[in-house]
């Protein structure tokens, strides 16, 4: 089955009262540098399978957990248990368990948001960072993230629609779960995702629900099997904690990220096409917020799930950057 990716081994770690499922590839111990790979929504460790193989082949120990709320990791029942502070705590425990003073980190989507936060809270643990799709914005005291989203995109932005417990879950449950993943992974419209009141999340996606060419039916089956067991609530709770994470991060208002970093995004990614983001990336704002940002790569004709759509190119970028350190 799809889970049996060649060279990948699996284990469970107890961290902060939560059991985390951890997938690993490459050397099991010793002095091999560790790369921590952090997935987003709706994804799993499995989204990094290509990068794990590439990193292992180059002598790295690739470590990809299912974040809390996902896959074979625990899903705390309280929606408030999914702040970035909770997830960073899980990662600090994982890094300690790996016996490493520092690790390389790669994040995508929510995994990128968590990776930025890890670099902000515990820069001593991160040697260098490659983030995909989601840029770092320093905390703004005058406006919470959801307030900023509503001001820029209105109440029908998908992150606003995800706030009410059970509503998105009910929408997702209306459809065949394999189709859900084909439809979601296939989205390519370079614009913010807006959900009119009379339309569901999936009505607003531009994809036709066929399997993208960079995924196999076996890949889709693995995602469907895991999410059929867990549901989507754990992943959706990250969105429901956006403003709570902002409240808790008041002490870091305006703080920059000083870890050496590289950023990669597709030009069709909804995150790249959010209001103000291209100017922020290309006109100095991003570099001011991440002073050791060494490179920004914008891939043409590539959408949101960049690490799976262009696995070889992304793996080469990651390995090339980390080789400097």
């Amino acid at each position: 089955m799809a889970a049996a990716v060649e060279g990948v081994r699996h284990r469970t770690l107890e961290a902060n009262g939560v059991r985390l499922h951890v997938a690993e590839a490459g050397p099991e111990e010793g002095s091999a540098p560790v790369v921590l790979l952090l997935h987003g929504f709706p994804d799993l460790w499995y989204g990094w399978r290509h990068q794990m193989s590439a990193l292992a082949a180059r002598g790295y120990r690739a470590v990809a957990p299912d974040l809390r709320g996902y896959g074979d990791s625990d899903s705390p029942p309280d929606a408030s248990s999914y702040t970035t502070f909770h997830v960073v705590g899980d990662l600090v425990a994982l890094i300690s368990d790996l016996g490493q003073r520092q690790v390389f980190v790669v994040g995508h989507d929510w995994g990128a948001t968590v990776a930025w936060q890890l670099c902000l809270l515990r820069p001593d643990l991160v040697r260098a960072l490659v983030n995909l799709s989601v840029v770092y914005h320093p905390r703004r005291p005058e406006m919470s993230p959801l307030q900023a989203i509503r001001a820029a995109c209105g109440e029908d932005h998908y992150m606003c629609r995800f706030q009410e417990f059970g509503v998105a879950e009910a929408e997702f449950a209306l459809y065949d779960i394999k189709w859900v993943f084909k439809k979601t992974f296939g989205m390519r419209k370079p614009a913010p995702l807006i959900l009119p009141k009379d339309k569901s999340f999936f009505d607003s996606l531009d994809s036709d629900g066929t399997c993208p060419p960079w995924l196999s039916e076996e890949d889709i089956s693995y995602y469907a099997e895991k999410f059929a067991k867990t549901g989507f609530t754990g992943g959706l709770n990250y969105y429901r904690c956006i403003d709570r994470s902002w409240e808790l991060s008041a002490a870091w208002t305006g703080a920059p990220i000083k870890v050496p970093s590289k950023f990669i995004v597709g030009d069709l990614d909804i995150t790249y096409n959010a209001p103000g983001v291209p100017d922020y990336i290309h006109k100095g704002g991003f570099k001011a917020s991440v002073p050791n940002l060494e490179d920004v790569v914008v891939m043409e004709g590539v959408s949101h799930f960049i690490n799976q759509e262009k696995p070889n190119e992304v793996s080469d970028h990651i390995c090339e950057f980390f080789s400097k350190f």
Side-chain angles (χ1 to χ4, degrees):
M1 67 182 290
V5 178
E6 183 177 357
V8 175
R9 54 193 181 271
H10 301 266
R11 65 187 179 93
T12 300
L13 169 70
E14 296 278 349
N16 303 323
V18 175
R19 291 184 306 113
L20 295 178
H21 165 245
V22 181
E24 297 188 19
E28 294 194 44
E29 53 188 38
S31 60
V34 170
V35 179
L36 193 59
L37 300 148
L38 309 177
H39 68 81
F41 177 86
D43 213 337
L44 300 163
W45 75 269
Y46 190 75
W48 295 111
R49 62 198 177 282
H50 304 294
Q51 285 72 40
M52 294 179 77
S53 296
L55 288 162
R58 290 169 168 88
Y60 292 95
R61 182 181 178 186
V63 179
D66 282 336
L67 300 181
R68 62 167 60 201
Y70 286 94
D72 293 319
S73 291
D74 282 348
S75 298
D78 187 344
S80 66
S81 298
Y82 294 83
T83 71
T84 52
F85 288 85
H86 286 90
V87 186
V88 166
D90 296 343
L91 299 179
V92 171
L94 173 56
I95 294 168
S96 176
D97 179 75
L98 292 168
Q100 299 290 315
R101 290 196 308 121
Q102 282 192 318
V103 297
F104 294 110
V105 178
V106 184
H108 173 250
D109 189 80
W110 266 107
T113 298
V114 171
W116 291 124
Q117 188 81 344
L118 175 63
C119 291
L120 183 66
L121 301 178
R122 292 299 306 270
D124 57 306
L125 296 179
V126 184
R127 189 180 303 182
L129 169 71
V130 175
N131 260 347
L132 314 180
S133 295
V134 177
V135 296
Y136 172 67
H137 287 284
R139 184 186 187 277
R140 297 169 58 189
E142 71 277 10
M143 186 178 293
S144 77
L146 284 176
Q147 288 172 331
I149 289 168
R150 290 186 177 105
C153 301
E155 288 284 348
D156 292 338
H157 189 272
Y158 78 100
M159 291 192 187
C160 300
R161 289 278 295 274
F162 280 176
Q163 294 305 307
E164 188 175 349
F165 188 87
V167 173
E169 288 93 332
E171 284 188 4
F172 280 47
L174 291 174
Y175 305 96
D176 174 78
I177 196 165
K178 290 185 179 181
W179 181 87
V180 164
F181 283 100
K182 292 176 182 179
K183 185 83 170 173
T184 304
F185 285 135
M187 63 180 184
R188 305 190 69 76
K189 184 179 179 180
L193 185 55
I194 305 299
L195 315 181
K197 291 289 189 293
D198 60 341
K199 293 186 180 296
S200 75
F201 176 80
F202 300 102
D203 291 333
S204 302
L205 297 182
D206 61 302
S207 60
D208 61 8
T210 58
C211 192
W214 40 270
L215 285 173
S216 69
E217 290 289 344
E218 188 180 32
D219 296 329
I220 294 294
S221 293
Y222 183 69
Y223 281 107
E225 175 193 344
K226 294 301 179 183
F227 279 85
K229 292 179 180 178
T230 65
F232 292 88
T233 296
L236 290 165
N237 282 340
Y238 285 66
Y239 295 94
R240 293 163 184 156
C241 283
I242 290 175
D243 276 4
R244 181 58 177 156
S245 293
W246 172 83
E247 292 170 2
L248 294 171
S249 65
W252 292 269
T253 296
I257 298 291
K258 297 182 179 180
V259 171
S261 304
K262 179 171 184 167
F263 182 71
I264 308 171
V265 69
D267 66 349
L268 302 180
D269 196 319
I270 60 172
T271 62
Y272 182 67
N273 290 280
V277 168
D279 283 351
Y280 175 72
I281 290 175
H282 300 294
K283 294 185 177 180
F286 193 17
K287 177 68 173 176
S289 301
V290 188
N292 291 318
L293 178 68
E294 297 192 12
D295 194 15
V296 172
V297 176
V298 181
M299 291 189 178
E300 293 185 6
V302 182
S303 192
H304 183 63
F305 296 95
I306 188 170
N307 50 320
Q308 298 193 69
E309 184 177 347
K310 293 293 180 182
N312 295 334
E313 294 90 333
V314 169
S315 296
D316 287 345
H317 278 298
I318 292 169
C319 294
E320 179 274 332
F321 185 63
F322 287 163
S323 70
K324 298 178 181 180
F325 304 94

